[in-house]
Amino acid sequence: MRRPWIVGVSGASGTPYAASVLRGLLDAGEPVDLVVSRAARLTLLDETGRPFRDAHWKDDLGAWLSRELSGDDVTYWSAGDLAAGPSSGSYPARGMVVVPASTAACAGIAIGLSKDLLQRAAEVNLKEHRPVVVVPRETPVTRSHLEHLIALHDAGAVVLPASPGFYAAGARATAAQLVDFVAGKVLDAIEVPHTLFTRWNGQLGDRG
């Protein structure tokens, strides 16, 4: 039985994090179900210059990831399709990652708003006690945002802020290395193997 990881991309700035997580999952041979919110399409266009269209999703996804998808197991669901497979607890998903997770997405998931398929799928995976990772990028944060993140934590989600570490590459780390560090931590949280960063080995100044 196919049991994909659901990846939800919300409208927060940080689409490179989503791209790195998606590449990591596909590189590991994991099946992926993708949901891109309406706001995320605007962010993606702004940050990459690339559109993301329902009717051409595979071409647009391949262009975004700079990847030939012919050998990858990817299914796309429109964010407006609340009858989609991931909207039901009986759909056999392994869990979900929301990356990046906007404050609106965090709030909607935390209170069970189910405004769109992204929020509904995350809520479903929480209620089914499957792994759910949310990657907020917003800073600074308000009290209400913190309260929503606490609610997500208490519901069983892993709250994994987009906060890269520098020990893997040092002060001269490239933007891509910092993005991959966060993506690697996401994959660690769902126990998917990767080589996105050099792990700390207890030796100062030794970055592998």
Side-chain angles (χ1 to χ4, degrees), residues 166 168-178 207:
F166 286 79
R172 296 185 180 180
T174 65
Q177 286 173 312
L178 298 178
R207 294 188 287 274

Short mmCIF file of all heavy atoms in Angstrom, two decimals, residues 166 168-178 207:
data_model
loop_
_atom_site.label_atom_id
_atom_site.label_comp_id
_atom_site.label_asym_id
_atom_site.label_seq_id
_atom_site.Cartn_x
_atom_site.Cartn_y
_atom_site.Cartn_z
N PHE A 166 25.07 26.84 12.42
CA PHE A 166 26.26 27.17 11.63
C PHE A 166 27.41 26.19 11.83
O PHE A 166 28.41 26.26 11.13
CB PHE A 166 26.74 28.58 11.98
CG PHE A 166 25.87 29.67 11.40
CD1 PHE A 166 24.67 30.01 12.01
CD2 PHE A 166 26.24 30.35 10.25
CE1 PHE A 166 23.86 31.00 11.47
CE2 PHE A 166 25.43 31.33 9.71
CZ PHE A 166 24.23 31.66 10.32
N ALA A 168 27.71 23.19 11.02
CA ALA A 168 27.95 22.27 9.91
C ALA A 168 28.80 22.89 8.81
O ALA A 168 29.49 22.18 8.08
CB ALA A 168 26.62 21.80 9.33
N ALA A 169 28.74 24.21 8.65
CA ALA A 169 29.47 24.84 7.54
C ALA A 169 30.26 26.08 7.97
O ALA A 169 31.05 26.58 7.19
CB ALA A 169 28.48 25.23 6.44
N GLY A 170 30.04 26.58 9.18
CA GLY A 170 30.80 27.71 9.66
C GLY A 170 30.19 29.04 9.27
O GLY A 170 29.14 29.13 8.63
N ALA A 171 30.88 30.11 9.64
CA ALA A 171 30.37 31.46 9.42
C ALA A 171 30.27 31.82 7.95
O ALA A 171 29.55 32.75 7.59
CB ALA A 171 31.26 32.47 10.15
N ARG A 172 30.98 31.10 7.09
CA ARG A 172 30.92 31.38 5.66
C ARG A 172 29.92 30.47 4.93
O ARG A 172 30.00 30.30 3.71
CB ARG A 172 32.32 31.23 5.05
CG ARG A 172 33.32 32.26 5.58
CD ARG A 172 34.64 32.15 4.86
NE ARG A 172 35.59 33.14 5.36
CZ ARG A 172 36.83 33.29 4.92
NH1 ARG A 172 37.27 32.50 3.93
NH2 ARG A 172 37.63 34.20 5.44
N ALA A 173 29.01 29.91 5.68
CA ALA A 173 28.01 29.03 5.07
C ALA A 173 27.22 29.77 4.01
O ALA A 173 26.88 30.94 4.16
CB ALA A 173 27.06 28.51 6.15
N THR A 174 26.93 29.08 2.92
CA THR A 174 26.11 29.67 1.87
C THR A 174 24.64 29.60 2.27
O THR A 174 24.25 28.84 3.17
CB THR A 174 26.29 28.90 0.55
OG1 THR A 174 25.79 27.56 0.71
CG2 THR A 174 27.76 28.86 0.15
N ALA A 175 23.82 30.38 1.56
CA ALA A 175 22.39 30.33 1.82
C ALA A 175 21.86 28.91 1.60
O ALA A 175 21.03 28.42 2.37
CB ALA A 175 21.66 31.32 0.92
N ALA A 176 22.35 28.24 0.56
CA ALA A 176 21.89 26.88 0.28
C ALA A 176 22.23 25.92 1.41
O ALA A 176 21.44 25.05 1.77
CB ALA A 176 22.51 26.39 -1.03
N GLN A 177 23.41 26.08 2.01
CA GLN A 177 23.80 25.22 3.12
C GLN A 177 22.91 25.45 4.34
O GLN A 177 22.55 24.51 5.05
CB GLN A 177 25.27 25.45 3.49
CG GLN A 177 26.25 24.86 2.48
CD GLN A 177 27.68 25.25 2.78
OE1 GLN A 177 27.99 26.42 3.03
NE2 GLN A 177 28.56 24.26 2.77
N LEU A 178 22.56 26.70 4.60
CA LEU A 178 21.69 27.01 5.73
C LEU A 178 20.28 26.48 5.50
O LEU A 178 19.64 25.97 6.42
CB LEU A 178 21.67 28.51 5.99
CG LEU A 178 23.02 29.13 6.35
CD1 LEU A 178 22.89 30.64 6.54
CD2 LEU A 178 23.59 28.49 7.61
N ARG A 207 34.55 20.23 10.78
CA ARG A 207 33.28 20.19 10.05
C ARG A 207 33.27 19.11 8.99
O ARG A 207 32.62 19.18 7.98
CB ARG A 207 32.99 21.57 9.43
CG ARG A 207 32.73 22.64 10.48
CD ARG A 207 32.25 23.91 9.83
NE ARG A 207 33.32 24.61 9.14
CZ ARG A 207 34.16 25.45 9.72
NH1 ARG A 207 34.05 25.69 11.02
NH2 ARG A 207 35.08 26.06 9.03
#
